Amino acid sequence: MDWRSAADTAGKGRDGSLSRVVSGRMAALAFVLASLLVMASELVVPGTYSRIAVVVIGTAALVVGAASWWIPWERLPRTTVLWLVPVGLAAIGVGFVFGDRNSFNFSVTFVLVFVLIGLTQRRWVPLKMTPVLLVAYVVPLVVIGGHLGSAGLESAIYVVPACVALGELIAWGMSRLAEANDEIAEGEASVRQLFDAAPIGICKLGIDGRFIEVNRAYGDILGYDPDQLVGMPMQSFTHPDDRAANQELIGKLLTGELDQFKFEKRYLRADGHQVWVSVNGSVVRGAHGEPLFLIGQIEDITERRQLSDELALHAVTDPLTGLPNRTLFMERLETALHHAETSGRQMALMFLDLDRFKLVNDGIGHDAGDRLLRRVGQRLQGALRSSDVLARFGGDEFTVLCEVAGVEEVDAVVARLRASMATAVAEPDFEQFVSLSIGVALSHPGGMAPSVLLRSADIAMYQAKRLGPGRYVVYEERDEGDAGRKLRMSNELHRAVRENQLVLHYQPYIDMRDMTLVGTEALVRWRHPERGLLPPGEFIELAEECGLMVELGAWVLREACRQGARWMAGRAVAGIEGEPPAMSVNISPQQLSDPGFTDIVASVLVETGFPPERLWLEITEGALMRDPGAAIAILRTLRELGVHLAIDDFGTGYSSLSYLRRLPVEALKIDRSFIEHLDEESDDRAIVEAVVALGDALGLGIIAEGIERPSQAIELASLGSFVAQGYLYARPVDPLLVGDHLPRTISGWEANSRLSMV
Ligand code: C2E
Ligand code: MG
Ligand code: MG
């Protein structure tokens, strides 16, 4: 609906009905006054009629005038009022001719009539009435003639213009009044329109908390007709849990502590459902700052809340069993331990692992395995108290957190958990007995970190597993043997990879003939926060065991290529010509068997801009011989990328010569153990000789590693020309010590690193 027409239908204003009411009543008032005037003048200066007649007629006029106050002026057309004018004027004339002939009353009555015209009619109507006025004024005077007539005619010169001017002035004033009135009405109508048609719910709330007015949208959100809500206390629709907070905010608004507030709360709808709304509250104050009423705007956010609640639930529950997941369990554990610490209570954490689940899973199929897990979850839940927390920690592992009075109570809980598995889980397509290995750890009364309690329970569970299926072990301090240390280390290693505690050191290898630098090998180290710099021997195996090697290896590869590219750029800046030294990176067996490995190599090369032909990958002989067939395929793909391949620690594994021939490698790195005793009386010389011969036969380059003494170098030189690596030439160092480019010869490297060390 157009707001203009809305303003029109609002009833007052445009059509001037209000001004008609005002003017009509003014006219009535004027009529009353005129009659009073006539009565007064007749009483003061007695005229033709008897006083009684004047009083009677005057009183009748007074009554008519007073009664006309209630005439429905707004319904009378303006023209009707206008047609009354000549009649009135004629009546004055007749009254004058046949009445008391008081010229003062005569002229004053005309003035009053024009006041009436001004009040009831539009502008210019008094002016247009001038001829009628002239006739009405002059004719009676001419009719009566004589001295009074001629004196009266003279008065027409100022009475007539005075009547017209006064009438015009009043009409103008009335039209201004009507315009202002229209504007106010329009403003009110548009505000009302906004209020009624607003898509958000708006309410006006008294300071007593009751609805004064609500719009349609507000009613819709609450499921009531807006009129039904008026006068009702808003809090009776608010969810009981939100009432206190809502009241507090309203209190703050009223005291002026807050100008406005935004708040999410629940309303109870007429149909009994709850609806989430976002409320914007503000207060309207009077001239002296006193609160008059409150304005509330609400928006239905139920869908959004439901969605976010669902998302939050998904984030913390295990979709298979519907139990809390690891994240939620850890949160609960943390809070429980915190409470336990302050209250001195003891918590038991149990790690439950299904025995031989892998076998079961493989045997009955994954789908059935999932159903089994679900049923186990239900049974465990049934065996626990409502205050205990059961979670699916991952795979076939469940965790339980419960408050206990001591070890005896733990026994009781464990007995209940086991009893819940006493009968086979029967499904239409399988029947399966389940046994649990359970590790339990109890919190110290003085407080305990969640991770420590978890680790202890995990260690206890492994102990239980070692004892055989269906066993249960309570963790004791001294249990942390190898398994515990390993577990801790693996946790720390996870963090190390993420928190950049790993660093690469670089060891050069050289051409023995002229001591020029052929390349550098990247060797990883772990800057352990407590134990200092750890060599790879301390953590590579562990990284393999806990499945971190792929991530760790990718980091090494990326970092080494980045460093290689940096050195190449430094070399270009320094204007050093010739082929830049190569970069060697060790690759572990797990990396090699990772299906995404070649993609990682390719993307690292693109990312770092390091040329593939300068990259060497060193793979241990053992790793290659695990599954030579698969290795050949991967190595081929790697060669297609343009990178070079070397067999590391050659001689320690059991290379089949036929495979060796088919492997697309280009160099053999003779293991340090054969170099170690080269300068002594040993068989090693013969072995090295054989490897050199093999290399020659297969067209492979030979690298000797672990050269520590000049005597070893001399011995090697007598067997041929080698690329060599060892402490004799340089130890692995931090790249910062090498500088921004690699030197051409090993003496340059030494000078560089010594210089930096000073
Ligand atoms: P590797 O690839 O055979 O590396 C050579 C190892 O021998 C290095 O030990 C090096 O410091 C050491 N070495 C070099 N010259 C001499 C010497 O003259 N005398 C003696 N006694 N040792 C020497 P590091 O750095 O402790 O590395 C040990 C092994 O750890 C490496 O053997 C390699 O197999 C593995 N490794 C190191 N970094 C990585 C890596 O990033 N990824 C993988 N997968 N393995 C790595
Ligand atoms: Mg190596
Ligand atoms: Mg080696």
Side-chain angles (χ1 to χ4, degrees):
M1 190 204 285
D2 175 74
W3 64 269
R4 280 175 180 278
S5 57
D8 286 346
T9 51
K12 299 164 186 168
R14 290 220 145 236
D15 62 349
S17 59
L18 177 70
S19 67
R20 246 177 298 164
V21 175
V22 172
S23 2
R25 288 186 179 172
M26 294 293 278
L29 208 60
F31 200 65
V32 169
L33 287 175
S35 32
L36 284 175
L37 195 71
V38 170
M39 276 201 291
S41 61
E42 188 56 41
L43 290 175
V44 176
V45 188
T48 326
Y49 298 103
S50 70
R51 281 192 181 183
I52 293 177
V54 169
V55 170
V56 171
I57 295 166
T59 310
L62 197 68
V63 171
V64 172
S68 61
W69 179 272
W70 284 281
I71 288 177
W73 296 101
E74 71 276 13
R75 288 202 219 128
L76 289 183
R78 196 185 285 269
T79 42
T80 313
V81 181
L82 192 62
W83 280 113
L84 288 174
V85 174
V87 176
L89 291 179
I92 298 168
V94 172
F96 179 68
V97 173
F98 299 101
D100 70 344
R101 300 198 174 169
N102 181 328
S103 61
F104 176 75
N105 285 355
F106 180 63
S107 50
V108 165
T109 315
F110 278 102
V111 172
L112 287 174
V113 169
F114 267 74
V115 167
L116 175 70
I117 297 171
L119 286 173
T120 53
Q121 301 301 326
R122 293 176 207 271
R123 286 172 69 186
W124 312 124
V125 172
L127 196 65
K128 287 178 195 160
M129 285 281 175
T130 314
V132 184
L133 171 65
L134 265 176
V135 172
Y137 198 86
V138 173
V139 171
L141 291 172
V142 172
V143 170
I144 64 162
H147 169 72
L148 191 62
S150 56
L153 282 172
E154 270 172 40
S155 72
I157 297 170
Y158 51 88
V159 171
V160 172
C163 284
V164 175
L166 193 62
E168 273 305 326
L169 194 71
I170 293 173
W172 175 79
M174 289 308 290
S175 75
R176 293 301 306 268
L177 190 70
E179 276 168 25
N181 208 33
D182 279 359
E183 270 171 34
I184 293 170
E186 276 168 16
E188 273 178 8
S190 53
V191 168
R192 171 132 306 274
Q193 167 81 357
L194 276 178
F195 181 80
D196 287 338
I200 53 165
I202 306 174
C203 77
K204 200 167 148 187
L205 199 68
I207 48 179
D208 60 353
R210 289 174 186 275
F211 290 115
I212 299 174
E213 208 175 351
V214 302
N215 71 348
R216 163 94 3 237
Y218 205 102
D220 288 348
I221 291 174
L222 264 68
Y224 289 94
D225 195 78
D227 293 338
Q228 283 178 289
L229 292 172
V230 173
M232 302 290 284
M234 180 269 293
Q235 286 288 55
S236 63
F237 300 93
T238 303
H239 192 285
D241 293 350
D242 296 333
R243 281 182 198 156
N246 202 176
Q247 196 52 49
E248 192 186 328
L249 287 169
I250 291 180
K252 284 185 178 169
L253 268 191
L254 293 176
T255 55
E257 214 176 308
L258 285 178
D259 287 338
Q260 57 172 40
F261 67 76
K262 200 173 159 85
F263 172 54
E264 291 190 356
K265 71 169 194 179
R266 284 155 293 176
Y267 267 133
L268 297 169
R269 280 177 54 89
D271 56 15
H273 287 111
Q274 70 176 33
V275 54
W276 272 101
V277 293
S278 152
V279 187
N280 262 298
S282 55
V283 64
V284 175
R285 296 182 180 279
H288 307 292
E290 77 285 6
L292 296 179
F293 55 86
L294 299 151
I295 297 278
Q297 296 172 33
I298 60 167
E299 212 177 331
D300 187 345
I301 53 161
T302 311
E303 249 175 60
R304 196 192 78 204
R305 283 296 293 228
Q306 274 169 352
L307 203 70
S308 64
D309 285 355
E310 261 169 45
L311 283 178
L313 194 70
H314 275 304
V316 294
T317 47
D318 166 47
L320 180 66
T321 57
L323 292 173
N325 66 7
R326 179 192 289 246
T327 315
L328 182 57
F329 183 79
M330 291 309 287
E331 250 172 52
R332 296 268 167 92
L333 178 63
E334 198 162 327
T335 350
L337 288 180
H338 182 71
H339 286 314
E341 191 179 334
T342 46
S343 62
R345 281 178 295 192
Q346 194 169 33
M347 303 303 297
L349 197 162
M350 306 184 179
F351 235 110
L352 280 58
D353 191 282
L354 270 61
D355 293 321
R356 292 184 298 259
F357 180 71
K358 197 176 151 18
L359 277 180
V360 174
N361 212 15
D362 291 346
I364 61 178
H366 285 256
D367 174 50
D370 282 354
R371 274 182 285 139
L372 180 71
L373 281 174
R374 213 175 295 142
R375 294 286 300 275
V376 168
Q378 287 162 356
R379 286 192 181 189
L380 293 175
Q381 187 79 79
L384 292 166
R385 297 166 297 193
S386 59
S387 55
D388 303 336
V389 183
L390 170 70
R392 179 162 176 237
F393 211 65
D396 60 342
E397 282 177 344
F398 292 85
T399 42
V400 173
L401 178 70
C402 51
E403 191 190 325
V404 288
V407 181
E408 300 74 37
E409 201 176 339
V410 172
D411 289 342
V413 177
V414 169
R416 284 206 307 274
L417 292 173
R418 280 171 158 177
S420 73
M421 298 296 146
T423 55
V425 173
E427 286 275 303
D429 50 344
F430 69 85
E431 198 176 82
Q432 184 67 48
F433 275 98
V434 175
S435 78
L436 301 167
S437 293
I438 305 176
V440 186
L442 292 164
S443 70
H444 292 307
M448 206 164 183
S451 58
V452 176
L453 192 66
L454 196 71
R455 194 185 71 217
S456 309
D458 196 25
I459 292 169
M461 199 270 290
Y462 275 110
Q463 298 249 324
K465 274 251 174 246
R466 229 174 284 154
L467 297 176
R471 302 297 291 264
Y472 117 78
V473 170
V474 179
Y475 176 82
E476 280 173 34
E477 227 42 81
R478 59 185 150 71
D479 282 346
E480 194 191 18
D482 251 11
R485 250 198 314 280
K486 246 188 191 169
L487 188 71
R488 201 182 53 238
M489 276 274 280
S490 75
N491 281 340
E492 288 174 353
L493 189 57
H494 269 281
R495 205 173 313 132
V497 175
R498 245 140 262 163
E499 294 180 1
N500 284 332
Q501 290 173 13
L502 299 177
V503 286
L504 291 185
H505 281 184
Y506 296 86
Q507 186 182 27
Y509 43 90
I510 54 144
D511 185 334
M512 278 177 82
R513 290 168 302 185
D514 54 5
M515 294 291 157
T516 49
L517 208 74
V518 178
T520 58
E521 179 177 9
L523 296 158
V524 68
R525 274 100 184 85
W526 177 4
R527 218 180 272 288
H528 193 283
E530 285 144 30
R531 297 167 58 203
L533 201 65
L534 299 183
E538 296 229 16
F539 60 91
I540 288 286
E541 203 181 321
L542 185 68
E544 291 249 344
E545 268 176 40
C546 61
L548 258 182
M549 199 54 223
V550 171
E551 196 181 336
L552 192 155
W555 178 84
V556 169
L557 187 69
R558 186 170 296 118
E559 186 52 34
C561 288
R562 224 177 254 159
Q563 184 60 55
R566 238 175 266 149
W567 275 332
M568 272 177 63
R571 198 179 158 92
V573 171
I576 301 171
E577 286 176 4
E579 208 168 57
M583 175 63 74
S584 292
V585 178
N586 294 288
I587 300 302
S588 84
Q590 210 171 64
Q591 282 173 278
L592 203 63
S593 53
D594 172 38
F597 180 60
T598 48
D599 290 343
I600 292 177
V601 177
S603 70
V604 163
L605 288 169
V606 172
E607 207 179 295
T608 60
F610 191 69
E613 67 280 4
R614 305 309 306 144
L615 180 63
W616 280 79
L617 300 182
E618 295 185 6
I619 303 151
T620 57
E621 193 183 2
L624 287 174
M625 288 307 144
R626 264 192 207 177
D627 182 358
I632 289 171
I634 294 162
L635 297 194
R636 285 214 178 112
T637 322
L638 288 170
R639 281 294 296 129
E640 277 163 20
L641 290 177
V643 302
H644 301 288
L645 304 167
I647 301 184
D648 205 352
D649 303 347
F650 188 75
T652 54
Y654 302 94
S655 285
S656 141
L657 287 182
S658 65
Y659 274 126
L660 197 59
R661 198 160 42 90
R662 290 169 50 201
L663 284 172
V665 294
E666 294 146 281
L668 302 177
K669 238 177 149 174
I670 309 177
D671 191 63
R672 197 175 74 225
S673 56
F674 303 109
I675 308 295
E676 213 174 336
H677 308 289
L678 199 64
D679 51 352
E680 297 161 18
E681 273 306 308
S682 71
D683 300 335
D684 290 346
R685 189 185 157 87
I687 292 174
V688 174
E689 235 171 339
V691 172
V692 171
L694 185 70
D696 281 347
L698 297 175
L700 303 173
I702 304 291
I703 304 159
E705 62 178 354
I707 301 160
E708 292 178 349
R709 299 180 291 277
S711 49
Q712 291 167 318
I714 292 166
E715 206 58 40
L716 262 180
S718 70
L719 291 172
S721 55
F722 287 93
V723 170
Q725 183 183 24
Y727 293 170
L728 176 66
Y729 308 109
R731 285 178 176 264
V733 290
D734 189 306
L736 281 176
L737 302 182
V738 180
D740 54 10
H741 67 268
L742 291 173
R744 246 175 47 75
T745 61
I746 195 63
S747 48
W749 171 286
E750 279 195 324
N752 265 8
S753 36
R754 246 185 252 125
L755 212 73
S756 324
M757 272 187 263
V758 174

